[in-house]
Amino acid sequence: MCSQNGCELHMFLFPFMAHGHMIPIIDMAKLFASRGVKITIVTTPLNSISISKSLHNSNSLIHLLPLKLPSVEAGLPDACENADSLPSLHLLPKFFAATTLLQDQLEHALLQYRPHCILADMFFPWTNDVAAKIGIPRLIFQGTSCFSHCALEFIRIHEPHKRVLSDTEHFLIPYLPGDIKLTKMQLPALDPENIENEFSKFIAKVDESVSCCYGVVVNSFYELEAEYADCYRDVLGRKMWLIGPLSLCNTETQEIIHRGRESAIDEDECLKWLDSQKLNSVVYVCFGSLAKFNSVQLKEIAIGLEASGQNFIWVIRKGKEEEEAEERNWLPEGYEQRMEGKGLIIRGWAPQLLILDHPAVGGFVTHCGWNSTLEGVAAGVPMVTWPVGAEQFYNEKLVTEVLKIGVAVGVQKWVKIVGDFVGREAVEKAIRRVMEEEEGEEMRNRARKFAEKAKKAVGEDGSSYLTVDALIVELKSLAF
Ligand code: UDP
């Protein structure tokens, strides 16, 4: 089909079914559609419903294509369509297995709709083969920074962690600019010695698919991590496009409010509360869509927050044990009464972008998921880094040692989902450093400069803006 400005490009976008993966791809759909690209988001029926809510009144070039996830066949509960809502994380390998069963349906849809390319999540390595069969390029969406990609790859290839004598001894990540050091305890479970075999095999497939796909689309911007983007491209030899921060494509309040899940707080109430606070006086505490803490840790955070003397918004996601024992009073006695007006507790989903962008917010305690990290950068707020799992320890290093816009709370150990223990004193100290001390002010100034650069990057003729153009031109040249 041809439009006035030449042929209309049609892309299939296929996000992994978890909010941290769907949110940036929905943003990306809006971004490409705003440049005249027709978009089909491939997902499952229940996710389609939630995505269509968060698309709000977006561009009419975006369509949804629901495929039925064979959950029961894969040994999952019926209608289990989102990794965030799995009853137990032990089911994650089964969830990955269920997604591979979508192969025939996807192939059928590609033959029916004939898009010009498919941009699929890194967790769908099998889409390389499907795309090859149909004869279209497969792009990968890898939802983290170039810094983390490089760190991960250099560790995987050179195995520096195998040359240390203990789990706590630091090793240098070879070839990674910046002399970055980690301990074995902070490594994601990518080491086949440490993890279940099935998962390591799966990760190997993901790695292989990255090296033989058409290219990688990254939610980051060149000015944030130029050295690592160059390293990723030149040393690791990956073809890639930096097109972020994707969150900045949400400009209307309604879009910002409806991003992700339904908020557990009325947005007006949240804004009213923030409006009543002084400039840079509020610390926002949120650990993303997956990480959970037990009662003991939640209590430490509560006490640490109170001791820091800062006003706060704290988003609480409880572990299974706490959900089951809802009545258990893990908050210190009289806490909520004492914190009235000083602290706002949100139990469930918070409108994160709305909060981060408010001038009252002066610090962000984050688990260093890449979306949250980049949203913090784009909002220009210094961070307290509290990595939990995945590639979050790498993101922490980027924030604290490379960009120097945050301080580490001091987590020592990579865990899957439930956080390592951090005491109240460490919570208080890290928050005070960011919110009160001179070094916090310096970090805030640096963070603001990155936020300006981020806005410039996505603005007309900015680096990310031009990269989107270049990608569209390249895909068209392949297609027509
Ligand atoms: N998010 C949100 N409200 C919440 C929790 C998370 O809006 O209460 C959004 C957040 O803005 C980010 C995403 O969910 O876009 C979380 O992604 P991230 O990569 O930070 O972490 P993950 O959830 O994948 O661990």
Side-chain angles (χ1 to χ4, degrees):
M1 192 208 284
C2 282
S3 69
Q4 248 183 336
N5 304 324
C7 291
E8 186 185 64
L9 191 71
H10 180 192
M11 292 171 80
F12 261 35
L13 302 188
F14 187 17
F16 179 67
M17 301 84 170
H19 280 97
H21 293 245
M22 296 197 306
I23 287 173
I25 288 217
I26 296 164
D27 287 344
M28 200 189 296
K30 294 181 193 169
L31 175 65
F32 281 112
S34 72
R35 306 289 185 85
V37 178
K38 179 177 165 184
I39 297 293
T40 300
I41 303 177
V42 182
T43 188
T44 62
L46 288 178
N47 287 309
S48 285
I49 297 169
S50 84
I51 291 177
S52 70
K53 275 188 201 152
S54 66
L55 279 170
H56 197 57
N57 289 330
S58 290
N59 200 302
S60 60
L61 284 171
I62 306 175
H63 305 272
L64 284 158
L65 179 70
L67 303 182
K68 182 162 171 15
L69 189 76
S71 350
V72 180
E73 290 86 328
L76 295 167
D78 194 16
C80 186
E81 295 184 12
N82 196 306
D84 296 355
S85 51
L86 287 175
S88 154
L89 240 218
H90 298 300
L91 290 173
L92 201 55
K94 286 190 174 164
F95 193 80
F96 285 127
T99 63
T100 63
L101 300 175
L102 288 170
Q103 210 151 326
D104 286 347
Q105 288 182 69
L106 180 68
E107 193 177 319
H108 186 77
L110 288 169
L111 285 169
Q112 187 181 353
Y113 295 98
R114 292 274 170 197
H116 301 110
C117 79
I118 176 163
L119 192 156
D121 197 283
M122 60 183 274
F123 285 152
F124 299 140
W126 49 272
T127 54
N128 269 14
D129 295 338
V130 179
K133 205 165 160 188
I134 308 290
I136 57 171
R138 187 252 168 145
L139 294 160
I140 288 192
F141 173 63
Q142 259 185 333
T144 189
S145 55
C146 295
F147 176 91
S148 292
H149 289 318
C150 291
L152 227 137
E153 278 299 277
F154 290 138
I155 290 176
R156 193 178 64 84
I157 297 167
H158 302 289
E159 301 185 326
H161 55 294
K162 294 205 169 153
R163 290 188 289 276
V164 289
L165 299 174
S166 73
D167 284 356
T168 48
E169 188 185 336
H170 282 89
F171 62 84
L172 188 75
I173 305 180
Y175 303 100
L176 188 74
D179 288 341
I180 305 298
K181 289 185 184 135
L182 279 177
T183 66
K184 224 167 155 177
M185 277 208 308
Q186 296 173 321
L187 279 192
L190 298 181
D191 181 351
E193 280 171 5
N194 299 338
I195 50 165
E196 318 90 287
N197 240 358
E198 278 313 299
F199 194 66
S200 67
K201 277 192 219 151
F202 175 71
I203 293 297
K205 276 190 197 152
V206 170
D207 289 337
E208 194 188 313
S209 75
V210 175
S211 50
C212 56
C213 72
Y214 187 76
V216 180
V217 175
V218 185
N219 181 16
S220 186
F221 60 104
Y222 189 74
E223 295 75 5
L224 183 72
E225 43 166 356
E227 205 172 0
Y228 301 98
D230 292 343
C231 184
Y232 193 52
R233 189 177 282 138
D234 303 335
V235 182
L236 292 170
R238 301 277 154 76
K239 196 171 162 108
M240 50 90 128
W241 296 267
L242 293 174
I243 64 166
L246 290 166
S247 63
L248 289 177
C249 75
N250 298 287
T251 49
E252 311 280 323
T253 311
Q254 285 306 312
E255 284 183 290
I256 292 170
I257 289 172
H258 289 105
R259 192 163 176 265
R261 291 167 54 185
E262 206 63 47
S263 289
I265 183 167
D266 178 78
E267 289 77 15
D268 290 335
E269 191 193 318
C270 185
L271 278 179
K272 209 167 131 201
W273 189 88
L274 281 165
D275 286 343
S276 71
Q277 306 295 320
K278 289 197 196 108
L279 185 74
N280 296 332
S281 68
V282 174
V283 58
Y284 171 60
V285 186
C286 182
F287 299 97
S289 61
L290 274 171
K292 294 188 175 83
F293 292 116
N294 60 27
S295 308
V296 180
Q297 181 64 79
L298 289 171
K299 193 167 182 178
E300 291 295 303
I301 297 176
I303 297 171
L305 267 172
E306 184 174 11
S308 78
Q310 310 300 318
N311 288 6
F312 61 84
I313 294 184
W314 178 18
V315 186
I316 298 180
R317 196 173 320 285
K318 286 176 287 175
K320 199 163 176 277
E321 177 206 352
E322 287 67 35
E323 266 159 28
E324 278 167 5
E326 187 59 50
E327 75 286 355
R328 185 197 293 210
N329 193 5
W330 51 267
L331 272 177
E333 204 168 324
Y335 189 80
E336 287 189 87
Q337 289 85 332
R338 279 202 307 284
M339 292 300 111
E340 183 112 32
K342 219 173 150 39
L344 185 64
I345 294 179
I346 301 178
R347 290 178 168 83
W349 193 260
Q352 180 155 305
L353 286 191
L354 193 77
I355 295 170
L356 280 175
D357 279 339
H358 197 283
V361 175
F364 180 17
V365 180
T366 174
H367 73 310
C368 301
W370 183 240
N371 295 301
S372 295
T373 306
L374 196 57
E375 287 159 18
V377 167
V381 288
M383 298 176 228
V384 170
T385 57
W386 188 318
V388 176
E391 87 305 355
Q392 293 152 15
F393 282 89
Y394 302 138
N395 297 334
E396 169 176 73
K397 292 283 174 188
L398 176 67
V399 168
T400 56
E401 293 182 20
V402 179
L403 305 175
K404 298 185 171 52
I405 55 169
V407 299
V409 81
V411 185
Q412 299 300 324
K413 192 168 175 229
W414 190 100
V415 286
K416 230 175 200 166
I417 285 289
V418 181
D420 187 23
F421 182 78
V422 176
R424 59 189 75 176
E425 295 84 9
V427 177
E428 177 192 347
K429 191 167 168 225
I431 292 176
R432 282 191 188 274
R433 277 177 71 188
V434 162
M435 299 297 284
E436 285 178 351
E437 293 173 19
E438 204 180 313
E439 64 168 333
E441 204 44 44
E442 286 164 9
M443 284 188 269
R444 180 164 300 108
N445 289 337
R446 272 194 290 276
R448 285 216 179 103
K449 287 192 184 126
F450 282 119
E452 280 163 25
K453 287 181 185 167
K455 284 181 187 93
K456 237 184 184 160
V458 297
E460 223 167 297
D461 294 336
S463 59
S464 295
Y465 185 95
L466 294 175
T467 303
V468 171
D469 277 353
L471 177 56
I472 293 174
V473 168
E474 181 166 340
L475 291 173
K476 279 186 175 175
S477 75
L478 295 173
F480 311 115

